[in-house]
Amino acid sequence: MKLAKVAGIVIVALVLLIGGFLWKTYRDAGEFKSIKAHGPEGCRTVSGVDSSEDITIDARSAMAFISSDDRRPWFHGKKGKQGAIYGYNLRANRPRLINLTRNFEKEFHPHGIGLYAAPSGTTYVFVVNHVGGKQYIEIFELAGDRLHHKETVSGPLMSSPNDVLPVGPRKFYVTNDHGSASMLGRKLEDYLQLARSYVLYFDGEQFKKVAEGLKYANGINISPDGKTIYVASTTGKAVYLYHRNKADGTLRFVRKISVGTGVDNIEIDTQGRLWLGCHPKLLTFVKYANDPKKRSPSQVLMIKVIKEGKDEIKEVYLNNGNPISGSSVAAYFHGKLLIGSVFDPKFTICQLDGY
């Protein structure tokens, strides 16, 4: 066989291989999905934050805690302005945003947040903080209209923390969304959908891995009875369920719920239902991360966990990138649905009837 013919066959094979890989990547990222916007009427946006990547609600006080930061600078390795945790009282006649961390002097770029309501009545807020390439969990105690800093926790296993779930005043789970430390390694994990991320447990003294083999472990939360841990897999497009050993914090895989979209954070309502902020088009979201003009669809799913094959999954909200883009969280409380964004300087509130 002539060399030119062999070369031609190799080139055609490479083109087909690359083309097939690109087609699969776009398909898996949801880029071929048709977006038909729908949702409740009467939604409104609330400005005054730099972003609203994570939102969690204290059912006792109706206070929504909002993780706010100008994320694009640090998302691209640059130092941005000081972030904050805002409070927003859903029971107030005219709710307003309150900077609860206005007295926190350390550099602060909050990401995922978690709430622990102690039996004593004390409220603790745990926050993932990215500072100059270093990673921390900041523990705060709520007192009046301020969060008082109690402690900073860090460790070498926590190289890429995304979300945190406190289960005590000093104990928590945290998702590590990538197993690789280098930027190239993380890109390969994302685009090749490598299952290298994991969940850590901090027992008050040290970290240990309690769940591994996840594709981009993202949001994490817990059932009202404290027995089940839910972990979002963004590129895996699923929610993983684990049985929690309360004595030592270890997790045992139970099953996963495939949702067919890039699930981000998980919030739990008072009925134990899961509310998911999702990215239906992951590559579009990457474009939006680089350019705010390239809007990314927002999606909210609600899951009533029953048993395998019987779970109820409902798409509650979907838009084409407006009025809020790149939804990362959905938190429900007494007829109100709060939708947050990774980058938009606002969040959305919708009135939901029949939930």
Side-chain angles (χ1 to χ4, degrees), residues 7-252:
I9 293 173
V10 170
I11 291 172
V12 170
L14 285 173
V15 169
L16 291 174
L17 183 64
I18 294 171
F21 172 75
L22 290 175
W23 179 85
K24 182 180 183 300
T25 299
Y26 270 72
R27 183 202 63 185
D28 292 349
E31 294 302 306
F32 301 134
K33 289 179 180 177
S34 176
I35 301 296
K36 296 181 180 179
H38 69 90
E41 297 181 358
C43 295
R44 61 186 177 89
T45 58
V46 178
S47 58
V49 296
D50 290 312
S51 66
S52 51
E53 194 279 338
D54 202 4
I55 301 172
T56 192
I57 301 172
D58 181 4
R60 300 183 302 183
S61 65
M63 177 70 78
F65 296 89
I66 302 163
S67 175
S68 169
D69 194 31
D70 184 9
R71 301 182 188 283
R72 280 194 171 88
W74 69 255
F75 196 73
H76 296 290
K78 300 177 182 179
K79 182 178 178 180
K81 63 180 181 179
Q82 186 81 337
I85 301 299
Y86 283 93
Y88 191 80
N89 193 327
L90 296 173
R91 286 204 183 111
N93 291 328
R94 299 182 66 181
R96 60 187 180 91
L97 287 165
I98 302 173
N99 186 341
L100 301 174
T101 52
R102 57 191 179 275
N103 292 332
F104 186 49
E105 297 180 352
K106 180 180 175 181
E107 187 176 345
F108 196 39
H109 300 292
H111 194 167
I113 59 177
L115 177 75
Y116 177 68
S120 64
T122 303
T123 298
Y124 296 91
V125 177
F126 288 51
V127 184
V128 174
N129 186 18
H130 306 287
V131 180
K134 296 182 179 180
Q135 316 299 332
Y136 306 99
I137 300 297
E138 311 291 355
I139 302 176
F140 297 89
E141 181 181 324
L142 182 66
D145 64 351
R146 296 184 185 182
L147 284 172
H148 294 273
H149 187 247
K150 304 292 291 183
E151 186 178 359
T152 297
V153 179
S154 63
L157 287 176
M158 194 176 64
S159 59
S160 184
N162 190 303
D163 195 16
V164 59
L165 171 67
V167 291
R170 292 191 74 253
K171 297 180 179 181
F172 58 87
Y173 294 89
V174 59
T175 55
N176 219 62
D177 57 31
H178 289 85
S180 302
S182 69
M183 185 59 69
L184 175 60
R186 294 182 181 188
K187 291 291 185 184
L188 289 174
E189 284 187 45
D190 293 342
Y191 288 96
L192 297 180
Q193 301 176 43
L194 303 179
R196 297 196 59 200
S197 67
Y198 49 86
V199 179
L200 296 170
Y201 177 63
F202 182 73
D203 62 8
E205 298 294 332
Q206 61 184 358
F207 287 95
K208 61 182 177 182
K209 292 183 181 181
V210 290
E212 299 182 68
L214 292 159
K215 298 178 180 180
Y216 202 113
N218 199 322
I220 185 169
N221 220 311
I222 191 169
S223 60
D225 62 10
K227 295 180 179 180
T228 303
I229 298 289
Y230 305 103
V231 180
S233 169
T234 302
T235 55
K237 297 181 290 186
V239 175
Y240 284 74
L241 280 63
Y242 298 88
H243 174 75
R244 172 184 171 231
N245 186 320
K246 294 183 180 181
D248 60 11
T250 56
L251 301 180
R252 175 178 55 82

Side-chain angles (χ1 to χ4, degrees), residues 314-346:
K314 182 173 183 179
E315 184 180 72
V316 176
Y317 180 91
L318 180 67
N319 74 22
N320 60 3
N322 289 297
I324 193 162
S325 183
S327 58
S328 53
V329 64
Y332 176 83
F333 179 76
H334 288 193
K336 292 183 174 66
L337 176 66
L338 278 63
I339 306 171
S341 165
V342 182
F343 298 107
D344 273 8
K346 57 188 175 182

